[in-house]
């Protein structure tokens, strides 16, 4: 509405406003985003309407497959408009013992989809008689995301380990495509680290190297992306099972290599 | 069958006093008077073979198939009432494509067999329907390796290394037991299956037969298909020679 209210020389306008615009321009387009920005420029001026917005996972998520397993990671910021409604959220959801997903987009949508897939996977396991394959889980996600694409806002990374194909990463972007990749990044923060990942990903990394790669990349995404932040949560999945790890917000490995 | 004719054999919804459901047993009888079919699971695949009586000299060869493909990697061989069995095959095809759509991977033999057997079992529970007068052999070679199942009209299914259904099943089974299935290849099994069928066929009492042989194995690229014509001819010739040697003894 009135862009003049935004003073970029002020710390608050840069740091609080900018992330908001990065997050919202993609969904609502310029007009409504700048309408919202007016309130923020005045530090909301007592107007708390932004809290009525959907809870969004403006996010940095990542999954990397290695020989024998897979490492996935996510930041922990959940926003309601410009408000950080949860700074330590867990965007990594367990589907099966060795199948996990990183969720981005609408928190409500991705939670509901994950619950459905968990349900289907449980049914499938009973008929199948052994742990389901990662591909099957990814296919369940794809079907839900594709058939309900008009209603959903979900970008999902499915990662896991199974006996047949080892560590795998599947990416299901908005729209409901299903793409298997050696590694994948997602969420609003991922846009900042495509170059980093393309430059520093190399095939044949060990589990340890993958973990370092994930933490480094996410730290940089979280630093640049206003809708990402907090702590880093990682999960390493291999034949032995899943191991969860955590990097505190003040211990992020941000900086030159 | 002491209770026959006492009224307890009219419906699948009524047990006889000694705890039997006669309609299901009669359905099994329909299979036991039908053409013999054998299935062999060997180390690199599954082979199925079934005889077909040549009803008339005017009959076109290859008509009225008794072996049908259900999915790329699995097939069904039928014995009993053919029209009944075709319903089972159609159901199998629906389940196979449905499973592939839903889970993104081909239907395992165990799942296909259990779904078919569950469906067949439901036809033994209601008075408005009659049980299938047919048994099927299911061959599958998916991620779990080669598998052979058989499903009866009662709705039970078993997994076998080798089995037979139809009128010659007892003789065929004792023939199959002599095979060493740990070393047998699919190509060899094709010959053996044809021999088993012919060993149970008495040319002096029965109509001449036509063989139908299919396999799903490494050699067929894990696709279920009829065996190549050359191999089929070789198997049939070997089986006929085997039968003649049998008759000479």
């Amino acid at each position: 509405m009135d862009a003049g209210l935004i003073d970029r020389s002020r710390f608050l306008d840069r740091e609080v406003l900018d992330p908001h615009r990065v997050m919202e321009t993609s969904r609502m387009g310029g007009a409504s985003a700048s309408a919202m920005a007016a309130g923020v420029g005045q530090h909301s001026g007592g107007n708390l309407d932004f809290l009525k917005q959907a809870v969004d996972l403006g996010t940095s998520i990542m999954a990397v497959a290695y020989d024998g397993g897979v490492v996935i990671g996510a930041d922990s910021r959940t926003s309601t408009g410009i408000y950080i409604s949860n700074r330590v959220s867990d965007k990594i959801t367990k589907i099966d013992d060795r199948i996990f997903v990183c969720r981005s987009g609408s928190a409500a949508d991705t939670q509901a989809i994950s619950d459905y897939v968990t349900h289907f996977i449980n049914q499938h396991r009973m008929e199948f008689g052994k742990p389901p394959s990662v591909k099957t889980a990814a296919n369940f996600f794809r079907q839900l995301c594709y058939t309900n694409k008009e209603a959903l806002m979900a970008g999902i990374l499915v990662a896991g380990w199974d006996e047949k194909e080892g560590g795998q990463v599947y990416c299901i972007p908005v729209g409901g495509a299903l793409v298997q990749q050696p590694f994948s990044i997602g969420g609003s923060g991922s846009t900042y680290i495509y170059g980093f990942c393309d430059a520093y990903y190399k095939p044949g990394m060990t589990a340890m190297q993958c973990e370092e790669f994930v933490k480094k990349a996410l730290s940089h995404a979280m630093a640049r992306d206003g809708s990402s932040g907090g702590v880093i949560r990682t999960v390493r999945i291999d034949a032995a099972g899943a191991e969860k790890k955590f990097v505190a917000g003040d211990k992020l490995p941000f900086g030159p290599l | 069958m002491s209770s026959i004719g006492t009224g307890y054999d009219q419906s699948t919804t009524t047990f006889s006093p000694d705890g039997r459901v006669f309609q299901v047993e009669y359905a099994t009888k329909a299979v036991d008077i039908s053409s013999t079919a054998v299935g062999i699971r060997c180390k690199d695949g599954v082979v199925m073979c079934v005889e077909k009586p040549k009803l008339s000299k005017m009959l076109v060869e290859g008509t009225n198939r008794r072996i049908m493909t259900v999915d790329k990697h699995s097939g069904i061989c039928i014995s009993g009432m053919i029209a009944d069995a075709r319903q089972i095959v159609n159901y199998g095809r629906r389940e196979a494509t449905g499973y592939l759509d839903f889970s993104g991977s081909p239907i395992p033999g165990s799942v296909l067999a259990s779904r078919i057997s569950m469906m067949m079992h439901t036809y033994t529970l209601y008075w408005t329907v009659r049980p299938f007068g047919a048994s099927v052999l299911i061959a599958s070679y998916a991620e779990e390796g080669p598998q052979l199942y058989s499903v009866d009209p009662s709705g039970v299914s078993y997994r076998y290394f080798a089995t037979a259904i139809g009128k010659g099943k007892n003789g065929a089974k004792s023939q199959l037991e002599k095979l060493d299935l740990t070393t047998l290849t699919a190509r060899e099994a094709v010959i053996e299956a044809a021999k088993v069928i012919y060993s149970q066929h008495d040319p002096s009492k029965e109509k001449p037969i036509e063989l139908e042989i299919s396999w799903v194995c490494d050699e067929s690229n894990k696709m279920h298909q009829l065996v190549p014509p050359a191999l089929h001819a070789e198997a049939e010739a070997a089986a006929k020679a085997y039968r003649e040697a049998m008759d000479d003894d």
Side-chain angles (χ1 to χ4, degrees), chain A residues 141-250:
Chain A
F141 273 103
R142 190 213 65 184
Q143 281 182 304
L144 288 169
C145 289
Y146 179 73
T147 50
N148 303 298
K149 62 157 90 185
E150 303 301 330
L152 294 175
M153 177 67 194
I156 294 166
L157 301 182
V158 184
W161 179 92
D162 64 46
E163 218 159 34
K164 192 166 155 264
E165 291 184 51
Q168 298 149 71
V169 172
Y170 294 89
C171 170
I172 301 156
V174 177
L178 174 62
V179 194
Q180 188 181 6
Q181 293 174 315
F183 79 93
S184 192
I185 53 180
S188 56
S190 68
T191 52
Y192 299 94
I193 54 167
Y194 270 90
F196 175 86
C197 291
D198 289 341
Y200 290 104
Y201 169 79
K202 51 184 183 295
M205 287 194 287
T206 65
M208 215 47 161
Q209 287 172 315
C210 284
E211 236 163 61
E212 293 309 312
F213 176 53
V214 166
K215 284 192 264 185
K216 193 81 177 172
L218 286 180
S219 298
H220 282 258
M222 289 155 70
R224 284 288 171 187
D225 181 26
S227 344
S228 302
V231 304
I232 295 180
R233 299 182 187 280
T234 62
V235 180
R236 184 174 92 192
I237 310 150
D238 56 23
E243 186 193 8
K244 279 191 162 189
K245 281 187 186 167
F246 159 90
V247 183
D250 57 354

Side-chain angles (χ1 to χ4, degrees), chain B:
Chain B
M1 290 198 181
S2 59
S3 315
I4 291 179
T6 55
Y8 289 109
D9 65 348
Q10 299 294 305
S11 163
T12 54
T13 52
T14 307
F15 279 102
S16 81
D18 43 350
R20 295 156 63 174
V21 180
F22 281 103
Q23 280 300 315
V24 174
E25 292 183 24
Y26 299 160
T28 311
K29 187 84 182 164
V31 180
D32 290 340
I33 58 167
S34 178
S35 309
T36 313
V38 302
I40 302 173
R41 192 209 85 150
C42 27
K43 64 173 187 182
D44 61 341
V46 190
V47 169
M48 295 191 297
C49 182
V50 61
E51 62 175 5
K52 230 164 34 177
K54 282 184 181 156
L55 298 169
S56 148
K57 283 186 176 163
M58 300 290 280
L59 209 62
V60 175
E61 207 174 308
T63 194
N64 271 327
R65 288 256 178 250
R66 283 175 191 245
I67 296 182
M68 279 154 275
T69 297
V70 166
D71 199 353
K72 269 186 188 166
H73 68 288
S74 51
I76 288 183
C77 176
I78 63 187
S79 179
M81 302 172 80
I82 304 304
D84 282 22
R86 282 206 53 87
Q87 297 290 329
I88 302 170
V89 173
N90 282 340
Y91 179 82
R93 287 174 174 161
R94 280 205 301 278
E95 288 300 315
T97 46
Y99 188 97
L100 184 63
D101 283 350
F102 191 55
S103 77
S105 48
I107 190 167
S110 56
V111 176
L112 183 60
S114 92
R115 297 226 180 141
I116 285 177
S117 65
M118 272 198 287
M119 182 276 287
M120 286 173 75
H121 175 242
T122 59
Y123 279 75
T124 69
L125 297 173
Y126 308 99
W127 69 268
T128 45
V129 293
R130 67 170 171 81
F132 286 96
S135 285
V136 293
L137 299 177
I138 303 169
S140 166
Y141 191 2
E143 288 161 16
E144 300 70 30
Q147 293 179 335
L148 172 70
Y149 288 85
S150 101
V151 190
D152 290 343
S154 62
V156 296
S157 88
Y158 294 107
R159 187 174 165 198
Y160 287 102
F161 290 109
T163 191
I165 52 177
K167 63 182 164 212
K169 69 173 179 189
N170 292 326
K173 277 181 185 169
S174 56
Q175 291 264 323
L176 291 168
E177 279 170 17
K178 293 175 193 158
L179 299 174
D180 181 5
L181 298 171
T182 52
T183 58
L184 198 73
T185 65
R187 186 166 266 275
E188 291 162 350
V190 168
I191 312 279
E192 295 303 326
K195 280 187 191 169
V196 171
I197 293 285
Y198 265 86
S199 76
Q200 299 307 309
H201 177 258
D202 188 348
S204 61
K205 290 187 196 146
E206 296 168 286
K207 281 204 175 77
I209 53 169
E210 182 186 327
L211 283 189
E212 226 172 83
I213 315 172
S214 80
W215 64 6
V216 50
C217 58
D218 291 337
E219 202 176 331
S220 74
N221 220 359
K222 293 190 184 178
M223 307 263 268
H224 178 259
Q225 51 196 213
L226 294 177
V227 298
L231 179 58
H232 188 280
E234 187 191 332
E236 194 146 16
K240 277 179 182 158
Y242 181 75
R243 177 75 223 187
E244 272 164 32
M246 253 174 75
D247 291 339
D248 290 345
D249 290 339

Side-chain angles (χ1 to χ4, degrees), chain A residues 82-129:
Chain A
I82 55 155
Y83 178 66
I84 298 172
S85 46
N86 188 348
R87 63 193 176 96
V88 287
S89 50
D90 192 354
K91 300 175 186 178
I92 298 178
T93 303
K94 181 180 170 182
I95 301 298
D96 195 47
D97 286 347
R98 292 189 188 81
I99 304 172
F100 285 73
V101 288
C102 298
R103 301 178 289 115
S104 74
S106 156
D109 290 356
T110 53
Q111 276 177 10
I113 296 168
S114 301
D115 285 350
Y116 270 111
V117 173
T118 307
H119 172 72
F120 288 141
I121 281 289
N122 285 336
Q123 281 189 323
H124 181 262
R125 196 197 308 100
M126 281 185 269
E127 189 178 26
F128 196 54

Side-chain angles (χ1 to χ4, degrees), chain A residues 42-112:
Chain A
Q42 305 161 62
H43 311 134
S44 90
N47 179 1
L48 299 178
D49 278 354
F50 62 82
L51 287 175
K52 293 175 186 165
Q53 290 181 56
V55 179
D56 234 350
L57 296 172
T59 294
S60 300
I61 51 176
M62 189 166 178
V64 187
Y66 63 91
D67 191 25
V70 66
V71 174
I72 58 177
D75 75 310
S76 70
R77 180 167 294 179
T78 300
S79 318
T80 305
I82 55 155
Y83 178 66
I84 298 172
S85 46
N86 188 348
R87 63 193 176 96
V88 287
S89 50
D90 192 354
K91 300 175 186 178
I92 298 178
T93 303
K94 181 180 170 182
I95 301 298
D96 195 47
D97 286 347
R98 292 189 188 81
I99 304 172
F100 285 73
V101 288
C102 298
R103 301 178 289 115
S104 74
S106 156
D109 290 356
T110 53
Q111 276 177 10

